Amino acid sequence: MSSGNGVDAGAVRRPPGPADPVERLLKEWPELGVFGADWLRTWMPYARGQIVGIARVLRRFPWMAELVRQRPVGLIGPYSVEAYVARDGSEACISFGGWAYCSADGSSVRRLELEFKGLEPHEGGVREVYRPKKRSIFAKAKEYIRIL
């Protein structure tokens, strides 16, 4: 039976088929586009939680997405990506398994080599604290907390 507008009233509307999981992830976290869909397809089955963690950091510090775009990230895995924030909140850093690239707002990015200082209690858990390996005039007494 037709309702007069050309739509069969007895027809059951079925939801569209499941969307591509990578496309759904990119829709929710467009920041991840800097890694490319192929990279996401490769790693998503194994490291979805880490990838979402990366997306949160990229959303909090948008300048990092541009830095990722400039680097060849196809060979790194999501567990190689680390992020830090200065204890005083003045700057943040992203690392791809080596040097950390630090900036307050992305306008001038410095390359630092961070070393593990120790663990400290924080909100019922522990967090890792890092400091620059070679103290410099730019990094004097700064400590960084690992956030990813």
Side-chain angles (χ1 to χ4, degrees):
M1 176 171 193
S2 178
S3 62
N5 61 4
V7 178
D8 185 6
V12 177
R13 296 196 107 201
R14 294 193 176 152
D20 178 12
V22 170
E23 294 303 321
R24 280 194 315 236
L25 189 69
L26 285 169
K27 187 174 183 179
E28 184 178 353
W29 302 99
E31 299 85 355
L32 292 172
V34 298
F35 288 99
D38 289 339
W39 186 88
L40 290 169
R41 274 191 185 80
T42 299
W43 290 105
M44 206 166 93
Y46 311 105
R48 189 181 198 298
Q50 182 72 8
I51 290 169
V52 169
I54 292 168
R56 285 187 182 117
V57 169
L58 294 179
R59 186 168 286 176
R60 183 174 170 192
F61 304 103
W63 64 267
M64 289 183 182
E66 185 56 38
L67 192 69
V68 171
R69 187 175 279 114
Q70 296 170 7
R71 303 276 184 277
V73 294
L75 299 177
I76 66 165
Y79 291 105
S80 298
V81 179
E82 297 174 348
Y84 309 87
V85 66
R87 188 183 291 276
D88 63 3
S90 62
E91 66 181 10
C93 308
I94 188 165
S95 171
F96 308 108
W99 292 95
Y101 300 91
C102 303
S103 179
D105 59 5
S107 61
S108 65
V109 178
R110 295 180 297 116
R111 191 173 82 163
L112 293 175
E113 191 173 7
L114 299 176
E115 67 180 350
F116 179 72
K117 178 185 173 197
L119 298 172
E120 66 180 34
H122 179 70
E123 297 177 358
V126 294
R127 63 183 182 185
E128 298 176 21
V129 179
Y130 291 78
R131 66 175 168 222
K133 260 191 178 176
K134 295 181 181 176
R135 300 285 177 149
S136 73
I137 194 169
F138 302 108
K140 61 181 176 186
K142 242 183 211 190
E143 290 185 340
Y144 298 86
I145 308 300
R146 184 172 173 188
I147 58 173
L148 176 66

